[in-house]
Amino acid sequence: MDVKYVCFIKESTGKIERIVFPQNEFPKEGVTGDVRVVYLTETNMGTTDLAEFMDKNWFNVQTLKFVEVGPPPNNYADYNILTSSWSWDPEPVLAEIRSYRAQLLLSTDWTQVSDNTLTDAQRQEARTYRTALRDITSTLSNPKNVEDVSWPTPPSFL
């Protein structure tokens, strides 16, 4: 068997934790605690790009095969190999959305001070946009990521 790499997998989830280049002594394949060791070869790896392989594959501990699941929808997602679906805690995703929203609001703060050159109509348009930004999280239910949000369109003068 032509072992290219040694893969360490979290047994309870099937997530690849790390991949290493084999040294003089290989750890034995199998399960110790919650860690499964699997040898990666041309046959079970299919690609030579380790980062891509690690990002897009999980290990099915029932079939003992790697399953391509694609990239995760966000940094907090875990793949459930049994249901073939991603799940995540929405709170960290909402925190990222709030942080992005705060940046958008900050970039429009100047529109609300009295000594700017905006017309009253433009100032009101900016207020409406800012209100839509502040209200955005009240309409979300388990968003995948910041890009998944339907952000309001900023006024043309911004």
Side-chain angles (χ1 to χ4, degrees):
M1 171 170 33
D2 186 26
V3 177
K4 294 176 74 171
Y5 304 101
V6 178
C7 185
F8 296 85
I9 299 158
K10 187 169 184 176
E11 178 72 6
S12 60
T13 63
K15 182 178 183 179
I16 299 171
E17 295 293 321
R18 63 189 170 108
I19 298 174
V20 299
F21 189 76
Q23 302 298 318
N24 294 338
E25 291 186 32
F26 290 30
K28 187 176 177 182
E29 275 191 303
V31 181
T32 304
D34 195 33
V35 177
R36 177 180 288 273
V37 174
V38 176
Y39 297 156
L40 291 178
T41 65
E42 289 278 338
T43 306
N44 66 0
M45 191 171 166
T47 181
T48 55
D49 186 322
L50 282 181
E52 181 181 346
F53 181 81
M54 193 168 172
D55 202 33
K56 293 183 177 182
N57 289 273
W58 286 55
F59 190 78
N60 186 325
V61 296
Q62 292 180 335
T63 64
L64 302 180
K65 295 185 188 281
F66 288 98
V67 177
E68 186 170 331
V69 299
N74 58 52
N75 293 332
Y76 315 102
D78 281 319
Y79 191 77
N80 184 325
I81 202 83
L82 301 177
T83 63
S84 301
S85 63
W86 291 101
S87 64
W88 56 89
D89 179 0
E91 283 310 310
V93 177
L94 286 170
E96 282 187 9
I97 290 167
R98 287 184 190 103
S99 177
Y100 182 75
R101 175 187 64 189
Q103 293 171 18
L104 293 175
L105 284 166
L106 183 63
S107 72
T108 63
D109 281 352
W110 67 272
T111 65
Q112 302 308 297
V113 296
S114 60
D115 64 345
N116 66 39
T117 58
L118 296 177
T119 65
D120 288 342
Q122 287 175 318
R123 195 173 286 119
Q124 182 55 48
E125 193 177 350
R127 269 191 219 107
T128 301
Y129 171 66
R130 288 168 55 85
T131 298
L133 285 173
R134 283 192 294 274
D135 293 345
I136 199 82
T137 55
S138 65
T139 61
L140 299 176
S141 65
N142 201 19
K144 289 182 199 168
N145 50 47
V146 171
E147 295 80 23
D148 193 40
V149 175
S150 295
W151 294 99
T153 304
S156 60
F157 58 87
L158 291 178

